[in-house]
């Protein structure tokens, strides 16, 4: 809907179709979708729940529709942002021009828990660090997009983007006949191509693998899915070993050399010799091979230095610094509580703001002012005063709505969009991304671990 | 293929086959129990059932007496019994889940659906209401699992390791059934009772009609043994299983597997060129006991050669 309450043009056809559907028919389709997701086993494990508990992520059958011109703007902005972020990480681990120029304060790098001194001076293939980026975006008005968060470590959700599309095409083929929806199914192809393009220098026919922490990880379905779709091995740490300055996997026919590892576990767990000694998920010695440039890790170690909420406010300046361009996509105005004035503003306006932990993730450790009780707000005030540099604050205005099926029919719910941007020799992406939806009325939290759902994202072709 | 992946595939197939075999044996016992027989004989039959799977002790620890209901519950839905159907199908599905990316969507969906349906069926009380229907269902899901594997998977290493799992498990099971039934052969000359005894054995491996077709004669123990040990065209016979084991081993051969191939080939040749009269003269029980040991050893060797990741 637009501000004046009319259906926006690119939703008109869908709205007409929807008006002709009976609630019963919709309910039947919804049950069919649930059953299919369950049978396919598209589930995610829930931390803190009983071990092995598998849940379905609620799937909403009203697609989020993005017109072609808005997408081309988004695409331009995403390319620009990810290009600049890659240059930033490269610079941080080498000459550090941006620090010397005074654009980003040195303490924001060195006091950042995600900064990896081990990476200082290391050359990575093609100078690419964030091979797969998931950029969370909200829309405020026509052509007005705000980036909420840059996810540069191990962003998840691309399998839901693909499975949601498959489900929609299966349930409502007639809709695809009447809408020109840009396809996204070639994502695994793009990903494989991208991973092969960043193999270590001199490797002609690289062996790519996907590395997972294992089947009890909440995103295990996605890891298995991507490995299968790309036709590469899905490995765990125990399947790999380091020998003779190379990484090998244990196969039924003996060791096989591995060149590119799309790793879906955090830096901390990669190599017990270098990082957490108690990690059984990693590969002892991996870092030494990596530093020698004889294996590629995607994403690179230490990319987290750039997706932290403490760096986020600087991204527009980062874009201007490296590319000498104005940012296409806006940042949500952000108050850094480590600055006294911005802390004062935040404390005075807690009830209107979203306050996030600088290093938090998954929608935990945050305050959503408008949806919080006086007690929760006071509790957060105390936390802010105790450790102001651990928090940032943002206005809540920026989350867009999309019609969504709820208990009592169709109602607006907050959504965001996570497009997946691939960086290799070139930057590529499929049109669209994962749309997450906050299913509870008034909620701004779309994370699946917090009861959020997903819906198919349609980018319309001209 | 990753050693770990091969290991999961091997055990996925083994557990599926094991669940099927358990269902087969239980079903035949349920059918037989419908015939007029003394309580003692019935108890004997259910005890033999536990014996085949080497579960007497585990059962006795939990139950005071042997009753049909308790044995069935123990072998179908007791999760603490690692050979129970629920334990096997859960393991099969967990193994499949660990390598779901290696399986075709259809193979994974069959495993997953089996697991989901199993819980629903047991919860819904089908086992008590109509045990035979439940066992039919388990067998059917196992057929489906094998069929969808052959029908949709690339016939590469993945399939070979699954086949190895299936046929090592099946060889083990057929040998056990034969051994127990021969061991417990009723003494005396009650021809009618003999008939039902051997017919039950044949039915438990879907061989009753096949027996008629092959021999066109009355059922004798020697022919039953011959059919289930030495007939290459009888799909659950020891020879048919070894045919598959040898062939699939050859397909996955690596630098360290030649001794395993040799042992499998030797066992295969003994069945291929063996005569039932010689086997009976030497003693069936001894032959089968030895056979089970050799199958066990083959399983271990497959693990050692291919599945357990070796250090660098």
């Amino acid at each position: 809907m637009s501000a004046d309450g009319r259906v926006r043009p690119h939703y008109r056809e869908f709205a007409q179709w929807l008006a002709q559907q009976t609630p019963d028919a919709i309910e039947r389709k919804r049950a069919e979708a649930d059953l299919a997701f369950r049978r396919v086993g598209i589930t995610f494990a829930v931390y803190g729940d009983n071990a092995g508990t598998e849940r379905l992520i609620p799937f909403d059958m009203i697609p989020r529709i993005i017109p072609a011109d808005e997408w081309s703007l988004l695409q331009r902005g995403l390319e620009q942002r990810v290009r600049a972020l890659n240059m930033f990480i490269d610079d941080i681990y080498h000459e550090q021009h941006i620090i010397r120029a005074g654009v980003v304060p040195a303490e924001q790098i060195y006091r950042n828990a995600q900064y990896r001194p081990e990476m200082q001076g290391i050359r990575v293939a093609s100078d690419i660090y964030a091979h797969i980026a998931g950029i969370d975006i909200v829309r405020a008005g026509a052509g007005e997009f705000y980036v909420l968060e840059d996810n540069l470590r191990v962003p998840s959700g691309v399998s839901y983007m693909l499975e949601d599309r498959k489900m929609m095409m299966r349930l409502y083929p007639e809709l695809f006949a009447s809408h020109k929806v840009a396809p996204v199914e070639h994502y695994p192809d793009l990903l494989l191509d991208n991973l092969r393009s960043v193999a270590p220098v001199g490797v002609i026919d690289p062996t790519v693998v996907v590395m997972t922490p294992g089947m009890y990880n909440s995103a295990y379905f996605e890891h298995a899915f991507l490995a299968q779709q790309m036709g590469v091995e899905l490995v765990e740490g125990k399947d790999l070993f380091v020998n003779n300055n190379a990484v090998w996997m244990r196969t039924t026919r003996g060791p096989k050399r591995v060149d590119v590892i799309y790793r879906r576990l955090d830096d901390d767990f990669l190599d017990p010799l270098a990082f957490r000694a108690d990690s059984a998920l990693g590969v002892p010695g991996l870092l030494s091979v990596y530093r020698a440039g004889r294996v590629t890790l995607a994403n690179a170690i230490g990319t987290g230095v750039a997706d932290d909420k403490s760096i986020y406010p600087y991204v527009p300046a980062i874009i201007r610094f490296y590319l000498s361009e104005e940012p296409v996509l806006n940042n949500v105005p952000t108050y850094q509580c480590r600055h006294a004035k911005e802390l004062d503003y935040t404390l005075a306006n807690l009830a209107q703001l979203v306050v996030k932990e600088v290093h938090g993730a998954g929608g935990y450790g945050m305050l959503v002012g408008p949806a919080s009780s006086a007690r929760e707000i006071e509790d957060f005030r105390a936390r802010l005063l105790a450790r102001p540099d651990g928090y940032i604050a943002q206005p809540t205005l920026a989350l867009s709505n999309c019609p969504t099926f709820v208990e009592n029919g169709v109602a607006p719910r907050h959504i965001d969009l996570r497009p997946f941007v691939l960086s290799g020799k070139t930057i590529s992406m499929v049109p669209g991304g994962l749309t997450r939806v906050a299913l509870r009325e008034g909620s701004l939290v779309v994370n699946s671990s917090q009861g959020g759902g997903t819906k198919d994202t349609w980018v319309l072709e001209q | 293929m990753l050693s770990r992946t091969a290991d999961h595939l091997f055990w996925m197939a083994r557990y599926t086959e094991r669940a099927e075999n358990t269902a087969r044996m239980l079903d035949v016992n349920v059918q037989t129990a419908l015939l007029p027989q003394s309580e003692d004989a019935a108890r004997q039959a259910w005890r033999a059932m536990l014996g085949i799977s080497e579960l007497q002790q585990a059962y006795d620890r939990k139950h005071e007496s042997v009753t049909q209901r308790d044995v069935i519950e123990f072998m179908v839905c007791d999760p603490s019994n690692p050979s129970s159907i629920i334990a096997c199908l859960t393991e099969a599905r967990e193994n499949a889940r660990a390598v779901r990316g290696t399986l075709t969507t259809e193979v994974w969906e069959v495993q997953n659906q089996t697991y989901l349906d199993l819980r629903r069926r047991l919860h819904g009380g089908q086992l008590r209401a109509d045990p035979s229907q439940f066992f039919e269902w388990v067998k059917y899901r196992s057929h489906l699992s094998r069929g969808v594997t052959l029908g949709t998977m690339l016939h590469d290493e993945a399939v070979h390791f699954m086949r190895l799992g299936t046929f090592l498990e099946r060889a083990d099971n057929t040998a056990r059934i034969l051994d127990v039934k021969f061991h417990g052969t009723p003494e005396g000359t009650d021809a009618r009772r003999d008939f039902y005894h051997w017919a039950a054995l044949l039915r438990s491996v879907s061989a009753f009609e096949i027996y008629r077709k092959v021999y066109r004669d009355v059922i004798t123990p020697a022919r039953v043994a011959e059919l289930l040990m030495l007939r290459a065209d009888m799909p659950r016979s020891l020879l048919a299983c070894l045919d598959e084991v040898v062939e699939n081993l050859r397909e996955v051969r690596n630098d360290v597997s030649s001794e395993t191939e040799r042992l499998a080939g030797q066992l295969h040749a003994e069945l291929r060129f063996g005569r039932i009269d010689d086997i009976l003269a030497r003693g069936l029980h001894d032959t089968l006991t030895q056979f089970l040991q050799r199958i066990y050893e083959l399983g271990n060797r497959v693990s050692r050669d291919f599945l357990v990741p070796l250090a660098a």
Side-chain angles (χ1 to χ4, degrees), chain B residues 71-83:
Chain B
V71 174
I72 290 181
E73 299 255 4
F74 182 68
M75 299 205 56
V76 171
C77 38
D78 190 333
S80 73
N81 166 14
S83 301

Side-chain angles (χ1 to χ4, degrees), chain A residues 41-62:
Chain A
I42 303 181
T43 54
F44 73 108
V46 183
Y47 290 122
D49 236 324
N50 289 333
T53 302
E54 295 161 38
R55 276 202 219 151
L56 289 180
I57 293 188
F59 166 68
D60 181 64
M61 291 184 297
I62 302 184

Side-chain angles (χ1 to χ4, degrees), chain B residues 32-95:
Chain B
T32 315
L34 300 177
L35 296 170
Q37 59 178 340
S38 71
E39 260 182 49
D40 205 40
R43 220 177 1 257
Q44 221 31 60
W46 286 108
R47 194 154 264 296
M49 181 68 235
L50 293 165
I52 291 177
S53 315
E54 295 177 26
L55 288 170
Q56 298 104 322
Q57 287 188 340
Y59 178 87
D60 289 343
R61 273 197 298 275
K62 298 193 79 162
H63 300 278
E64 300 237 313
S65 60
V66 173
T67 66
Q68 167 165 337
R69 208 178 92 176
D70 284 349
V71 174
I72 290 181
E73 299 255 4
F74 182 68
M75 299 205 56
V76 171
C77 38
D78 190 333
S80 73
N81 166 14
S83 301
S84 68
I85 288 175
I86 194 167
C88 285
L89 291 181
T90 304
E91 270 302 307
R93 190 257 191 172
E94 283 298 277
N95 276 289

Side-chain angles (χ1 to χ4, degrees), chain B residues 180-196:
Chain B
V180 170
K181 288 282 178 185
F182 266 85
H183 219 49
T185 304
E187 292 292 327
T189 51
D190 186 339
R192 197 185 70 170
R193 205 171 59 177
D194 269 10
F195 170 81
Y196 286 110

Side-chain angles (χ1 to χ4, degrees), chain B residues 24 43 45 122 125 134 160 248 251:
Chain B
R24 286 175 171 281
R43 220 177 1 257
L122 291 179
F134 174 78
H160 298 314
N248 285 290
E251 295 286 346

Side-chain angles (χ1 to χ4, degrees), chain A residues 95-311:
Chain A
E95 292 83 4
Q96 306 188 329
H97 296 299
I98 199 163
I99 297 179
R100 276 185 269 131
V103 177
V104 176
E107 78 210 54
Q108 293 293 57
I109 305 301
Y110 295 124
R111 289 183 54 198
N112 188 323
Q114 295 301 319
Y115 170 71
R116 300 276 175 228
E118 297 86 350
M119 289 298 291
Q120 204 62 49
I122 301 299
R123 279 250 87 83
V124 301
S126 307
D127 297 335
I128 298 295
Y129 291 77
H131 306 86
I132 298 98
I135 312 291
D136 292 345
I137 286 179
V138 291
R139 180 181 175 283
E144 214 184 324
F145 292 101
Y146 290 89
V147 173
L148 273 183
E149 197 169 293
D150 304 290
N151 298 286
L152 305 182
R153 286 171 256 179
V154 283
S156 310
V158 75
S159 56
Y160 297 107
M161 169 182 93
L162 297 170
E163 290 292 339
D164 285 356
R165 174 61 54 84
K166 212 154 86 188
M167 185 59 69
M168 283 299 281
M169 292 184 86
R170 184 177 140 179
L171 294 178
Y172 298 115
E174 70 271 24
L175 281 174
F176 289 85
S178 61
H179 290 78
K180 284 185 181 162
V181 182
V184 293
E185 294 86 332
H186 58 294
Y187 177 84
D189 252 39
L190 275 189
L191 177 60
L192 181 60
D193 201 37
N194 195 65
L195 292 169
R196 288 174 63 93
S197 81
V198 292
V201 180
V203 178
I204 308 298
D205 183 18
T207 299
V208 176
V209 300
V210 175
M211 185 178 184
T212 174
M215 62 193 282
Y216 298 105
N217 184 271
S218 62
Y220 178 73
F221 163 71
E222 175 153 305
H223 308 160
F225 175 87
L226 287 175
Q228 180 182 44
Q229 295 295 308
M230 291 193 289
V232 306
E233 294 286 359
L234 176 68
V235 305
E236 296 178 17
K238 60 188 174 211
D239 299 319
L240 300 178
F241 64 93
V242 165
N243 190 26
N244 207 3
N245 203 15
V247 179
W248 307 83
M249 58 180 163
R250 307 173 205 272
T251 81
T252 57
R253 298 225 151 91
K256 184 168 181 0
R257 174 100 186 250
V258 172
D259 305 297
V260 180
I261 302 176
Y262 177 23
R263 48 98 171 205
R264 295 293 301 255
L265 68 174
D266 292 330
D267 290 355
D268 279 345
F269 300 97
L270 278 177
D271 181 350
L273 298 183
F275 305 113
R276 281 177 61 154
D278 62 341
S279 168
L281 303 174
V283 187
L286 179 60
L287 184 71
S288 68
V289 182
Y290 182 58
R291 285 169 56 101
R294 291 171 51 86
V295 69
T296 298
L297 294 176
N299 291 349
I301 293 176
T303 51
V305 73
D307 75 0
D308 198 279
K309 290 182 183 74
S310 67
I311 292 297

Side-chain angles (χ1 to χ4, degrees), chain B residues 202-203 206-215:
Chain B
L202 290 170
R203 285 212 173 88
S206 300
F208 185 72
E209 289 109 345
I210 291 176
Y211 183 98
R212 289 292 194 216
K213 196 167 166 175
V214 170
Y215 296 103

